[in-house]
Amino acid sequence: MRGRKGRLLNDEILRVEGLRKEFPGVVALDGVDFTLRAGEVHVLLGENGAGKSTLIKMLSGAYHPDGGRILVDGAPTEIRTASDAQRLGIATIYQEFNLVPQLTVGENLALGRPPRRFGFVDTGRMHEQAGELLRRVGVDVDPRTPVARLGIARMQMVEIAKALGLNARVLIMDEPTAVLTTTEVERLFGIVRQLRDQGVAIVFITHHLEEIPQIGDRVTVLRDGSSVAEVPATTPENELVRLMVGRPIDQQYPREPAAPGGPLLQVRGLRREGEFTDVSFEVRAGEVVGLAGLVGAGRTEVARSIFGADAYDSGEVLVNGRPLARGDVHAAMEAGLGLVPEDRKGQGLVLGADVGENLGLVTLRRASRGGFVDRQGQRRAAAEVARQLGVRMSGLGQEVRTLSGGNQQKIVIGKWLLAKASVLILDEPTRGVDVGAKVEIYQLINSLTASGHAVLMISSDLPEILGMSDRVLVMARGRLVGELAAGEATQDSVMALAVTEVEDARVH
């Protein structure tokens, strides 16, 4: 049987043999074998730091292997640049978006290959082509919209549309569902199945194990830089976990409730024009409060306003009983409030700085005396926090950009531990994090609440919300529409609230 790309389905397109890559002090890949066939979805599975990102960067031309070889259509091939990969028909959708925020959606989709007329860019045709691609992925976005105005979920769909525009025969998707709602995931899976049936070979990376039998055909598992198994996509989750981490994980959501104390965070009547209105709730010491809702419900906007990153029009935020100045991040930090943002790379880290510098970002002013920073004291404290969190690194001097996603997330959380924040707002705390690192973050949340901290957790992963929250708040269309105790909250009850048609759907 032939796909529309003209290849026999199940023909081998790409093979990796004994691939090796070493960075200073770190062996990222050590003998990886991997094959990819036309018309299949091949899931690449492994913990953060297992080597998945390094492998796909070599297939896309960002890195060059130190050993082993890559074969395309049976012939040894060198992929030294992104242009080489594109010439071979390999397109990659990275977890870190490769979009230019200042350009429009249409300009991003046509970047490097805009349609021309009489030597000039044909903007009308460009936006027409962009509209066709956006319709294919089911996104209702005007191609003339600047990418900077889009939320994370819509940026993800634009990235997918961009890859579709290349007519690739090998499509690599790195955590494409991490920020999508259930409806958007189903839409994406429909697109993936359509491409697979046309003969496209797809490498699909995900940390959501329940997605694997829904979309995958085969699974290759990486651990510590080596390929350790190739198994069917129907392999049970507990066996996949054992292969990934080398040990079984007994409890996926190990919430240990603590006796709640007094309110540490109080939000009263918060309102921001066009975003949210009449938002009121509290989070008590020792408590995890989950904030659920569909993408676009206003959860992140509320979190950023509480922290002072965005201003709000009216209402009040109190931490430890004291009102916070509106739109003042420094005042929020001084009051003991910390925010782990959903975009850790863009808003939570300085990627060019090292681990020690990132851990000390929040406490830099506090560690200064007479204009000088106690760097030695900062490094000692940073080393202790990194040890407590189990950060996998060569040392405090390692650049944060070279860490795995899970370890980067630990750094973002760790800087607030170093600052002794009493209230932590966690926005998508395990996005792009493997199952082993997720459990470590959940255990960290347990230790925080056991010591009297308060946690407000925003997540699009509904099982995570249900598994780790003591109470669940649900937002819809910029309003809080319900509150459920842990014992009452189910996927059905939360989703019923999340799709509530608010009486006044437009926020005034």
Side-chain angles (χ1 to χ4, degrees):
M1 179 180 175
R2 293 184 181 272
R4 294 184 191 174
K5 294 287 180 178
R7 295 189 60 87
L8 284 170
L9 297 183
N10 294 320
D11 272 6
E12 182 182 297
I13 289 183
L14 183 147
R15 176 184 290 271
V16 163
E17 294 179 347
L19 216 59
R20 178 179 174 84
K21 182 64 180 176
E22 187 171 350
F23 298 103
V26 178
V27 177
L29 290 185
D30 189 13
V32 169
D33 299 313
F34 177 76
T35 60
L36 185 63
R37 301 168 187 156
E40 77 162 345
V41 178
H42 196 138
V43 177
L44 195 58
L45 192 63
E47 288 190 278
N48 293 110
K52 304 185 303 296
S53 294
T54 303
L55 174 58
I56 65 173
K57 284 179 179 176
M58 282 193 278
L59 296 178
S60 59
Y63 292 158
H64 191 259
D66 298 322
R69 61 180 189 163
I70 300 171
L71 298 90
V72 177
D73 296 326
T77 306
E78 288 194 355
I79 307 176
R80 293 190 171 272
T81 66
S83 296
D84 289 343
Q86 188 171 333
R87 176 177 49 82
L88 292 165
I90 300 172
T92 302
I93 302 171
Y94 287 108
Q95 188 176 338
E96 303 87 22
F97 300 141
N98 192 23
L99 299 171
V100 182
Q102 295 80 11
L103 299 182
T104 67
V105 170
E107 289 166 339
N108 270 277
L109 293 179
L111 203 59
R113 48 188 181 86
R116 294 186 177 276
R117 187 180 183 191
F118 307 125
F120 298 95
V121 173
D122 185 346
T123 55
R125 179 63 182 150
M126 179 181 70
H127 288 125
E128 182 182 333
Q129 291 174 346
E132 292 170 2
L133 288 171
L134 292 168
R135 280 190 291 275
R136 284 184 68 186
V137 296
V139 178
D140 184 18
V141 176
D142 187 334
R144 296 168 181 79
T145 304
V147 163
R149 294 185 188 171
L150 302 181
I152 293 290
R154 284 188 168 186
M155 285 185 187
Q156 177 70 81
M157 300 306 282
V158 170
E159 280 280 22
I160 294 167
K162 184 178 175 183
L164 295 182
L166 296 173
N167 293 315
R169 61 185 186 133
V170 174
L171 182 58
I172 302 171
M173 310 181 83
D174 187 5
E175 290 286 339
T177 64
V179 295
L180 303 183
T181 65
T182 302
T183 302
E184 289 164 336
V185 168
E186 281 303 316
R187 186 181 300 137
L188 171 64
F189 283 0
I191 295 166
V192 170
R193 293 183 187 110
Q194 181 182 17
L195 291 170
R196 179 191 61 192
D197 293 344
Q198 292 172 1
V200 177
I202 297 165
V203 179
F204 196 93
I205 298 175
T206 182
H207 289 309
H208 296 290
L209 301 185
E210 73 279 1
E211 294 176 351
I212 293 173
Q214 297 179 49
I215 197 63
D217 297 302
R218 290 187 295 150
V219 181
T220 289
V221 182
L222 300 186
R223 187 169 76 231
D224 298 329
S226 299
S227 46
V228 296
E230 182 187 292
V231 296
T234 52
T235 302
E237 286 188 18
N238 58 353
E239 176 62 10
L240 292 175
V241 170
R242 188 191 65 78
L243 289 169
M244 284 172 59
V245 304
R247 67 187 192 280
I249 290 179
D250 299 326
Q251 196 175 357
Q252 192 173 358
Y253 302 106
R255 176 66 185 137
E256 298 171 4
L264 293 185
L265 173 66
Q266 295 167 283
V267 178
R268 298 173 177 170
L270 221 59
R271 172 185 169 276
R272 183 180 176 193
E273 179 72 28
E275 300 286 356
F276 52 84
T277 191
D278 195 25
V279 175
S280 300
F281 63 89
E282 66 180 31
V283 187
R284 294 170 289 179
E287 189 177 39
V288 177
V289 173
L291 188 56
L294 303 179
V295 172
R299 299 167 303 164
T300 292
E301 290 78 7
V302 167
R304 287 178 55 83
S305 293
I306 291 170
F307 186 64
D310 295 328
Y312 53 89
D313 299 323
S314 60
E316 188 177 36
V317 176
L318 297 90
V319 176
N320 290 304
R322 296 184 177 180
L324 283 186
R326 187 183 310 176
D328 190 335
V329 170
H330 178 64
M333 292 192 298
E334 287 297 307
L337 191 59
L339 171 65
V340 174
E342 64 172 338
D343 180 7
R344 62 172 170 261
K345 290 181 181 291
Q347 300 171 1
L349 296 167
V350 179
L351 294 177
D354 64 32
V355 171
E357 290 165 337
N358 271 276
L359 283 170
L361 283 174
V362 179
T363 54
L364 196 60
R365 183 186 300 220
R366 198 179 303 166
S368 301
R369 296 290 183 274
F372 296 95
V373 177
D374 178 10
R375 295 193 179 277
Q376 191 173 1
Q378 283 275 89
R379 301 294 272 195
R380 278 197 304 269
E384 176 59 22
V385 168
R387 185 194 64 77
Q388 290 174 2
L389 296 180
V391 178
R392 296 179 187 175
M393 59 181 182
S394 59
L396 291 177
Q398 183 176 348
E399 273 196 10
V400 160
R401 74 169 75 248
T402 64
L403 295 178
S404 67
N407 285 299
Q408 288 180 346
Q409 190 73 332
K410 289 179 183 178
I411 299 300
V412 180
I413 296 172
K415 69 184 181 184
W416 295 112
L417 299 185
L418 203 59
K420 295 181 169 54
S422 59
V423 180
L424 264 182
I425 303 173
L426 307 178
D427 194 354
E428 304 289 357
T430 64
R431 178 188 168 219
V433 173
D434 66 76
V435 64
K438 279 183 180 181
V439 171
E440 291 176 351
I441 290 173
Y442 298 150
Q443 290 168 339
L444 172 61
I445 291 172
N446 283 337
S447 67
L448 287 169
T449 54
S451 59
H453 293 72
V455 173
L456 175 65
M457 184 173 71
I458 301 166
S459 178
S460 300
D461 184 346
L462 195 46
E464 177 174 78
I465 285 281
L466 298 175
M468 288 301 297
S469 301
D470 301 311
R471 287 186 293 127
V472 178
L473 306 175
V474 185
M475 288 193 70
R477 300 174 183 262
R479 294 179 185 269
L480 274 178
V481 293
E483 176 181 327
L484 299 167
E488 303 171 336
T490 64
Q491 293 208 32
D492 289 343
S493 62
V494 172
M495 286 305 299
L497 288 169
V499 298
T500 298
E501 288 293 330
V502 180
E503 185 176 344
D504 182 7
R506 297 192 337 177
V507 179
H508 294 293

